[in-house]
Amino acid sequence: MEGPRPMSQVSTEPDLLYTEEEEALRAAVRDLLTDRCAAADVIARSESGTPHDAELWKALSEGMGLAGLLVPEDRGGQGATHREAAVVLEELGRAVAPVPYLTSAVVATEALLACEGPAAAELLAALASGRTVGALAVALNVAPGAVHRAVRLENGSLHGELTGIADAAAADVLLVPAEDGGLYAVDADAVTIVPQVSLDQTRPLARITFDSAPARLLTADAPGAVRRALRAGAGLLASEQLGLADHSLTETVRYLKERKQFNRPVGGFQALKHRLAQVWLEVVNTRAAARNAADALATASADGDVAVAVAQAYAAPVAVHAAEEALQLHGGIGMTWEHPAHLYLKRAKADSIAYGTAGAHREALAELVDLQAP
């Protein structure tokens, strides 16, 4: 048997291809979402008072064990990597699934992975099982390393108000940064959570009021934990945006092949072919950027910050463009509430400001590679 290659021969290039295991994971997740996450059901749920699909979340987390992908096996998880989580997020983006996977299984989980001690370990195992949903109490629009609001700590209790917290309504526990520099765990039933108007009703925002809320210290280094969490959220959000854009393109091509005008398929008109070709090119490039970010996070690459910034700087406008083209090229039917095109456009628009805008990531990238504008 051939022995391991010398370190000098080990490739440090990112692996952008999907493994057989990742493709099998994709197939399983897609099958589940096809059965349980029809567009009509998502639209109906967005009109109800319960935008999150608890049964779908249970199937994904407890049934398939996806909530614990990023958690090591010895800490109660599946011991997978960001690459597998990225595949899951691609499929969730394709379905605009109303589940708190990004906010709980990625962002909140990454924050807890930066913490030590029994309280953090117990909570991490609970999130990995899927029976507990967590949410990091930092506004959805905050970029990695950016300033965020914190609450006041007095006598072991938290006081204050935070706004723009994604999926807070679905959370059982909140991870809350305080002004003393600590990150605290607070039970959701100990605070007041009020829904806010949100463009994307499948990932609702909320205002949280803390009035002497009992808190458990998880780590004294909240800035480090928050930055790690938001970095992973931004990097893997690109995979969700990839899935959304790819699905928008696929469905638009399918529709234009079937829709006829002047007794010929609409997709045969050259002007529309050019528009679709442009979106296809953008989606292909987004896939490379998103896979690079996922691989960099999975391997703890020294270029991780650069990979995340590149992915978000590119993926956000591509997802919006693909969703806009889908809505327009579906014609009149695309403008109706019954057609799911608006779900994708709303998610794409909301994602474009989540964990930092494309402009903010371009500025971060310029600083990282020392290419400041004149």
Side-chain angles (χ1 to χ4, degrees):
M1 177 182 291
E2 183 181 354
R5 290 183 297 171
M7 288 301 295
S8 60
Q9 299 181 23
V10 177
S11 175
T12 58
E13 295 297 320
D15 183 4
L16 306 186
L17 301 179
Y18 299 99
T19 65
E20 291 184 8
E21 291 78 7
E22 289 166 356
E23 291 292 4
L25 174 62
R26 178 196 307 284
V29 175
R30 185 174 296 187
D31 287 345
L32 176 64
L33 294 174
T34 300
D35 291 339
R36 301 198 182 190
C37 194
D41 296 333
V42 177
I43 294 173
R45 186 169 292 280
S46 69
E47 297 176 305
S48 69
T50 54
H52 292 101
D53 191 336
E55 290 302 315
L56 177 60
W57 171 251
K58 184 176 181 180
L60 289 166
S61 59
E62 297 184 36
M64 299 183 68
L66 301 183
L69 285 182
L70 299 181
V71 181
E73 291 184 86
D74 59 359
R75 302 181 71 177
Q78 302 299 319
T81 71
H82 299 81
R83 291 175 58 94
E84 288 79 14
V87 170
V88 174
L89 281 164
E90 282 185 40
E91 294 307 309
L92 295 178
R94 290 179 61 88
V96 198
V99 292
Y101 188 85
L102 181 64
T103 49
S104 182
V106 175
V107 176
T109 295
E110 283 283 348
L112 286 172
L113 286 170
C115 303
E116 298 180 356
E122 180 181 356
L123 187 52
L124 182 63
L127 261 62
S129 72
R131 289 186 289 273
T132 297
V133 175
L136 180 65
V138 173
L140 182 62
N141 66 311
V142 175
V147 177
H148 58 83
R149 296 182 61 184
V151 295
R152 187 176 74 260
L153 177 69
E154 288 184 5
N155 300 321
S157 300
L158 297 181
H159 304 258
E161 183 177 275
L162 299 173
T163 59
I165 310 303
D167 290 334
D172 301 300
V173 63
L174 303 167
L175 309 182
V176 188
E179 293 175 351
D180 70 335
L183 184 69
Y184 294 84
V186 177
D187 293 334
D189 56 9
V191 301
T192 302
I193 300 176
V194 179
Q196 292 181 286
V197 176
S198 173
L199 176 62
D200 178 15
Q201 294 161 304
T202 63
R203 182 173 286 149
L205 306 178
R207 180 175 68 252
I208 306 175
T209 302
F210 300 83
D211 185 8
S212 297
R216 308 182 298 279
L217 180 64
L218 298 172
T219 179
D221 181 22
V226 169
R227 188 186 185 285
R228 171 175 175 165
L230 297 184
R231 179 174 178 261
L236 295 187
L237 176 64
S239 292
E240 177 183 289
Q241 291 164 320
L242 167 62
L244 186 156
D246 187 51
H247 181 76
S248 296
L249 174 61
T250 300
E251 286 302 298
T252 304
V253 170
R254 181 191 61 77
Y255 175 77
L256 293 182
K257 286 181 177 180
E258 298 174 353
R259 179 77 167 88
K260 291 186 177 181
Q261 193 174 59
F262 305 116
N263 204 32
R264 61 179 291 190
V266 174
F269 292 102
Q270 190 172 28
L272 300 189
K273 287 182 179 180
H274 288 172
R275 291 171 67 172
L276 292 172
Q278 179 61 36
V279 175
W280 178 85
L281 183 62
E282 292 174 356
V283 170
V284 170
N285 291 337
T286 300
R287 177 171 288 107
R291 293 299 295 167
N292 183 47
D295 187 74
L297 290 169
T299 59
S301 169
D303 294 327
D305 288 341
V306 172
V308 169
V310 168
Q312 266 309 301
Y314 194 83
V318 168
V320 172
H321 182 215
E324 288 176 341
E325 290 287 70
L327 188 145
Q328 292 179 16
L329 296 181
H330 273 82
I333 192 174
M335 302 292 179
T336 64
W337 185 259
E338 290 76 14
H339 195 277
H342 65 92
L343 292 176
Y344 291 85
L345 182 56
K346 291 172 182 175
R347 173 65 71 88
K349 286 284 191 179
D351 281 357
S352 70
I353 63 171
Y355 307 120
T357 63
H361 285 283
R362 282 193 291 269
E363 291 180 4
L365 179 61
E367 184 175 346
L368 287 167
V369 300
D370 197 23
L371 283 176
Q372 295 296 316

